[in-house]
Amino acid sequence: MRAAAASGLYIHVPFCLRKCPYCDFYSVTDLEAAPAFAAALEDEMRLRKDEGGWGGHVFGSLYLGGGTPTALGSPLIERISDAAYRHFSVLPNAEVTVEANPATITAEGLSGLRAASINRINIGVQSFYDCALSFLGRMHTAADAMEAIRLARRAGFDNIGIDLIYGLPGGGLPGANESRWAKELETAVSFAPEHIACYMLTLEPGTPMEGDLRAGRFELPDDDTAGRLFLDASRGLSSRGYEHYEISNFAIHPGYRSAHNSGYWDNRPYLGLGPSAHSYCDPVRTANIRSVADYIECIGAGELPVETSETLDATQQMMEAVYLGLRRSEGIRFAAFENRFGVDFTSVFEDVADKFVAEGRMVVDEIGCRLTPEGMLFHESIAAALIDRI
């Protein structure tokens, strides 16, 4: 079985040294409970394998996300990784990723990650400008980010991903955002990472930064500017040899696509461990308890820490297939869609698709339909228009 066809294993490490004001992922800044969390995590692995029905799965990817997994230190990360290999069937060629904050990266720590079977590191650079990092509330500087990439390469990582955020306030200067973003991309490419993810700054309700926006403390770029920044990334990175394989993601070669994240978009099963982690095995999706203390207590009582469970009906599954399929450069493959749902795609969606083709936002051929880079700008509304036909 190839890694690309296997299930995914996600471990949510709910600890950060400091919370970023734009982030709504679950995490806490008190690391005192980290050892107890690691012990509970091993117990959840046993429960999931023996009682949760995951013992028969073969996993082609292991992803430690958060939070800030590297805040735990490499000894705890190695303990967690070793436990995953003991309790589950993880392929020898599995992609094993850890997310890392540049402020937590050291040469010694990277050596420890290599010893823990980590073969891919995803570094949360976010920006190569100190002013942008300060606005985002990040702990690291631009120099820290650049040194983290260099250290990762020296440590032997040949699969490095970096995350960047665009769409920050432009300082009121015409073209400031575009100019800064072009330099961000140029700097990123100079390090030759195998993977680059570019995310538009999105402020979720309840985050401190969203409150500041509502209070008028800053303004975000308008939609036209945000659209230009997106297309600048798509065209700029494509011209430098990166494949724009998903709305936010670029790989220097198809072999460096994120195998784990691709599993989400391809409807493959994934098991999520840790507080707030989600799991999916068609057609059931579950979510874990969103509290470190409650998670540890639940596991200690010998119970699965599941807080919510949802069984998707055929319509919901088709809606998700359309939404996720249009995120990828391959788009929606007609034969696969019909095999899965027993529905001829063109007979249901042809007239809507033709409209977007005429607008230059979609390409339709005998294989399937996919969005152009310009169409990806309108992914939400295009997906909604197709979903309305279901």
Side-chain angles (χ1 to χ4, degrees), residues 11 31 33 67 72 86 127 148 195 201 206 208 218 223-224 248 284 289 298 301 321 327 335 346 361 364 375 390:
I11 296 175
L31 272 69
L72 293 181
R86 284 199 315 274
S127 177
H195 193 277
L201 178 62
F218 64 87
D223 289 344
D224 288 343
S248 302
V284 180
I289 294 168
C298 184
R327 291 191 64 91
T346 55
R361 298 177 180 179
V364 177
I390 297 175

Side-chain angles (χ1 to χ4, degrees), residues 65-77:
T68 308
T70 45
L72 293 181
S74 54
L76 264 186
I77 292 176

Side-chain angles (χ1 to χ4, degrees), residues 142-361:
D144 293 334
M146 291 186 276
E147 182 63 9
I149 301 170
R150 295 188 191 102
L151 288 173
R153 193 67 82 191
R154 288 176 199 150
F157 282 96
D158 58 8
N159 194 349
I160 297 174
I162 65 173
D163 290 349
L164 297 174
I165 295 178
Y166 65 96
L168 280 62
L173 301 175
N177 233 305
E178 290 94 325
S179 175
R180 184 172 65 193
W181 184 228
K183 291 178 181 177
E184 295 269 30
L185 295 172
E186 182 180 343
T187 303
V189 171
S190 72
F191 288 97
E194 283 68 33
H195 193 277
I196 300 175
C198 301
Y199 298 106
M200 175 75 178
L201 178 62
T202 302
L203 303 182
E204 299 295 337
T207 58
M209 192 172 283
E210 188 267 343
D212 288 342
L213 177 66
R214 283 190 290 104
R217 298 187 180 98
F218 64 87
E219 292 183 1
L220 293 177
D222 58 29
D223 289 344
D224 288 343
T225 300
R228 288 194 297 272
L229 296 174
F230 173 86
L231 291 175
D232 285 347
S234 179
R235 294 164 180 163
L237 291 177
S238 296
S239 70
R240 291 168 171 85
Y242 284 84
E243 174 198 29
H244 191 180
Y245 73 95
E246 193 272 344
I247 285 180
S248 302
N249 290 274
F250 302 79
I252 196 63
H253 180 276
Y256 289 109
R257 293 182 179 189
S258 170
H260 184 81
N261 288 337
S262 293
Y264 298 147
W265 306 318
D266 293 343
N267 194 54
R268 294 199 298 274
Y270 54 87
L271 170 60
L273 305 172
S276 79
H278 288 66
S279 301
Y280 172 74
C281 189
D282 192 11
V284 180
R285 178 181 292 114
T286 62
N288 275 3
I289 294 168
R290 192 180 168 94
S291 161
V292 173
D294 292 346
Y295 170 81
I296 293 172
E297 181 180 356
C298 184
I299 294 290
E303 300 174 1
L304 288 172
V306 174
E307 186 169 56
T308 63
S309 179
E310 176 188 19
T311 300
L312 304 180
D313 61 27
T315 298
Q316 290 172 312
Q317 292 177 64
M318 194 182 303
M319 291 167 65
E320 288 201 352
V322 169
Y323 183 87
L324 295 174
L326 290 178
R327 291 191 64 91
R328 302 173 303 168
S329 60
E330 288 89 350
I332 299 168
R333 300 297 179 95
F334 294 153
F337 191 89
E338 185 170 359
N339 287 339
R340 183 180 175 193
F341 298 111
V343 172
D344 177 65
F345 189 94
T346 55
S347 67
V348 177
F349 303 105
E350 185 174 24
D351 59 335
V352 181
D354 285 347
K355 171 180 178 294
F356 296 125
V357 170
E359 295 172 350
R361 298 177 180 179

